[in-house]
Amino acid sequence: YFIFMLFIFLNLLLKKSKLLYFVDFLLMLVLLGYQYGAYDTMIYINRYVHPEVYSSFTEPLFTIILATFKQIGFNYRSFMLITSLIELIFIFNFIKKHTVNQCFVIGLFMIFPMISAFEQLRFFMAFTIILCGAIDALLKKHKYYRLKAVIFILIASLIHSSSIFYLLFVLVDFLNIKKTIITSLLTSALFLAIGFSPKVVNLLTKLIGTEKTNIIEKLSTLQTGQFGCSFLALFVIISFIAFYAYIVKKNIVKNYTKDVQEYLLLTLKINIISLISISLIWIFSVAFMRIATSILILNYIGLSKMLVLDKKIKVYYVELFAISCSILLLMFNVHTPEAFNLIVKPFFEENVFFNNIFNS
C-alpha cells in the first residue's frame, strides 16, 4: 500500500520524468502479471487452466490465444506475464505518444481505475488493442484511418464481445457536437424503450450464441447495483463533459495548439456518445460501466495537455479537478467494506511477486 501511494505522489509531482515512467512500467508489470485472488482474476486464470468449461461461451480469438499458449507449453503465470507485457507496451506507448506529461496521466490512472481495470483482464486486453489500434488511428487521421479503427475494434470484440460498443467512437468522427448529443440521447432512449424484447434476444442469439445469450439474460435479471454503476458511469462522463464545455465557453480551448484542440474535441464527443452505455447498464449488465471507466485514460491525457500556463485557467485548477475527480471515483467504487475486500485487498495482498519478497 505504501509503495503504491508513494508512486502516485511521485507521478503527480514529476509529471514528465522518463526514468519514473520506465519504473512505472516495471511496477505495473508486477502488479498486473503476478496478481491472483480477485474474483475476476481467478475466472481469467480458470479460463486458462480449464478452457473446456468456458469454451462454449468464450469469444473465438481469446480461445485461440489460450490454445496457442497452452500448446507452446506456457503455464497460466507465464501467459499472464507475456500478455501483461504486451498490453502495457500498448498503453504506455499510447500515453507517451499523446502527451509529454505522461507520469501525470499514470498517477491519475493509478488512483482510478487501474485496480479494477487490472482485475478485468480480458476486457483490459481488448481495450489496449482498441486504444493503440482504433483510437490512435482516429486521433492521427492517416490514410484509411476509419477502416483501420473498425478492423481493430472488431478484432478486440473477438476477445471481449462488449468491445463492439467502441464502433460508436468511429461514428462520432463524422458528427459535430450537436449531432453527437442527439445521437446519444436517441440511441439511449431506443435501448430503454425496447429493453430485452424477444426480437433483441433473437438477434443476440444469432450474434453470440444461445448459451452466452442465456447467461446475459440471467445476469440482467439477477444483477444488483445498477443504480450505483449507472451513477458512477454518469459521474465520469458528465464531469468531463462539463469541464470541456467550460473551457470551450470561456474560449480557453483557442489558446491551445490545433492538435490539442482536435484531441479535446474528439474526446468530448467520445464522452457524449458513451452516455449510451448507461442505458446498457440497466438493460444488459453492470459490466458496461467499463466503457465509462476505460475512457478515463483519454480524459486524463486531455487534462495533461492543459497543464500549460494560461491567463484564463491556472495549471493548479486543472490538477485539482483531475486529482479530486479520480479520488472521488475511487471512493465511489470501493466505498463499502465488501467492495474493499473484493477489489482492493486482493490486488495488494495477493500478488505472487510481493508475497515472495515480504515473506522471505
Side-chain angles (χ1 to χ4, degrees):
Y1 293 96
F2 173 77
I3 292 171
F4 192 71
M5 288 187 288
L6 176 63
F7 267 80
I8 291 174
F9 174 78
L10 290 174
N11 276 280
L12 296 177
L13 181 66
L14 307 173
K15 300 177 180 62
K16 301 179 182 180
S17 173
K18 294 180 180 179
L19 176 61
L20 179 59
Y21 199 59
F22 175 72
V23 179
D24 284 336
F25 182 89
L26 298 179
L27 175 64
M28 288 192 178
L29 180 61
V30 170
L31 291 171
L32 182 59
Y34 283 100
Q35 63 172 310
Y36 71 95
Y39 179 74
D40 285 339
T41 304
M42 292 309 300
I43 292 178
Y44 187 81
I45 292 173
N46 285 333
R47 282 181 183 270
Y48 190 85
V49 178
H50 303 290
E52 67 281 356
V53 177
Y54 302 87
S55 59
S56 60
F57 54 92
T58 296
E59 288 77 354
L61 182 54
F62 188 71
T63 300
I64 292 171
I65 293 171
L66 293 182
T68 302
F69 273 85
K70 288 180 75 69
Q71 189 172 8
I72 294 172
F74 289 107
N75 60 24
Y76 74 85
R77 184 58 61 196
S78 299
F79 167 69
M80 288 180 66
L81 284 170
I82 293 171
T83 54
S84 297
L85 178 66
I86 296 170
E87 292 157 10
L88 289 174
I89 288 174
F90 285 166
I91 199 168
F92 270 70
N93 280 343
F94 180 87
I95 295 171
K96 186 178 180 180
K97 190 181 297 183
H98 293 285
T99 181
V100 295
N101 295 304
Q102 63 266 20
C103 289
F104 181 75
V105 175
I106 290 296
L108 296 174
F109 179 68
M110 290 177 76
I111 297 174
F112 186 83
M114 194 192 84
I115 295 175
S116 56
F118 277 15
E119 292 175 356
Q120 297 158 359
L121 287 159
R122 195 161 55 92
F123 181 84
F124 186 71
M125 178 187 290
F127 177 70
T128 56
I129 292 172
I130 291 169
L131 193 65
C132 74
I135 296 176
D136 188 60
L138 292 172
L139 290 169
K140 287 182 177 179
K141 294 184 176 0
H142 289 165
K143 190 176 182 180
Y144 304 121
Y145 70 94
R146 291 186 183 118
L147 177 60
K148 180 182 177 182
V150 170
I151 291 172
F152 272 91
I153 291 169
L154 292 177
I155 290 171
S157 71
L158 297 177
I159 294 174
H160 200 290
S161 56
S162 66
S163 301
I164 204 74
F165 182 93
Y166 292 97
L167 285 175
L168 293 172
F169 292 3
V170 182
L171 175 65
V172 301
D173 192 56
F174 296 93
L175 306 174
N176 58 28
I177 293 177
K178 183 178 180 180
K179 290 180 179 178
T180 305
I181 294 172
I182 294 171
T183 301
S184 179
L185 293 177
L186 289 178
T187 307
S188 296
L190 179 63
F191 275 127
L192 291 172
I194 63 177
F196 227 99
S197 68
K199 291 184 179 180
V200 176
V201 175
N202 291 334
L203 178 61
L204 277 175
T205 302
K206 292 179 181 179
L207 291 173
I208 63 177
T210 304
E211 189 165 356
K212 191 150 191 172
T213 303
N214 291 337
I215 292 172
I216 293 174
E217 278 192 280
K218 186 177 180 180
L219 288 174
S220 67
T221 55
L222 296 178
Q223 68 175 337
T224 58
Q226 293 103 318
F227 177 79
C229 290
S230 299
F231 182 79
L232 179 61
L234 187 64
F235 181 84
V236 170
I237 297 167
I238 294 299
S239 296
F240 286 96
I241 289 176
F243 192 81
Y244 293 138
Y246 172 80
I247 66 171
V248 170
K249 184 178 180 180
K250 296 293 184 180
N251 290 323
I252 296 168
V253 70
K254 294 182 179 179
N255 297 327
Y256 298 115
T257 60
K258 185 179 178 180
D259 66 310
V260 174
Q261 292 182 37
E262 291 176 350
Y263 181 94
L264 295 177
L265 176 62
L266 179 63
T267 308
L268 170 58
K269 291 190 290 184
I270 284 175
N271 276 274
I272 294 170
I273 207 71
S274 294
L275 286 168
I276 297 171
S277 65
I278 296 173
S279 61
L280 297 177
I281 290 172
W282 282 94
I283 297 170
F284 294 112
S285 171
V286 294
F288 277 97
M289 183 184 71
R290 298 172 186 176
I291 302 297
T293 56
S294 69
I295 62 171
L296 275 170
I297 196 77
L298 302 177
N299 288 319
Y300 290 157
I301 292 173
L303 293 175
S304 75
K305 289 175 177 288
M306 300 181 200
L307 297 180
V308 294
L309 294 175
D310 190 283
K311 293 181 180 180
K312 292 187 177 181
I313 185 168
K314 302 297 182 182
V315 170
Y316 59 81
Y317 288 165
V318 179
E319 293 177 332
L320 180 62
F321 170 78
I323 296 170
S324 300
C325 188
S326 59
I327 292 174
L328 281 172
L329 289 170
L330 175 65
M331 291 172 63
F332 284 148
N333 198 43
V334 293
H335 65 284
T336 65
E338 181 184 12
F340 180 87
N341 290 329
L342 289 174
I343 301 171
V344 179
K345 189 174 180 179
F347 181 79
F348 287 107
E349 298 182 24
E350 297 179 6
N351 183 286
V352 176
F353 183 87
F354 285 119
N355 285 353
N356 288 339
I357 291 177
F358 293 123
N359 293 332
S360 61

